[in-house]
Amino acid sequence: MRALIAAATGLALALALVLTISAMGSPSGSTSPKPLLTTVPSHP
């Protein structure tokens, strides 16, 4: 019985954590203006 209570408590805490994080919203970010390097530089 204790294991069932512990599992239910853990599930409730995990659900509360997920809801709290999702309520905060996604962070506002932007893409980098610099392009990424897609080629390997030539070997000297």
Side-chain angles (χ1 to χ4, degrees), residues 18-36:
V18 167
L19 289 176
T20 303
I21 291 174
S22 63
M24 289 170 55
S26 61
S28 60
S30 60
T31 58
S32 174
K34 296 181 181 179
L36 296 174

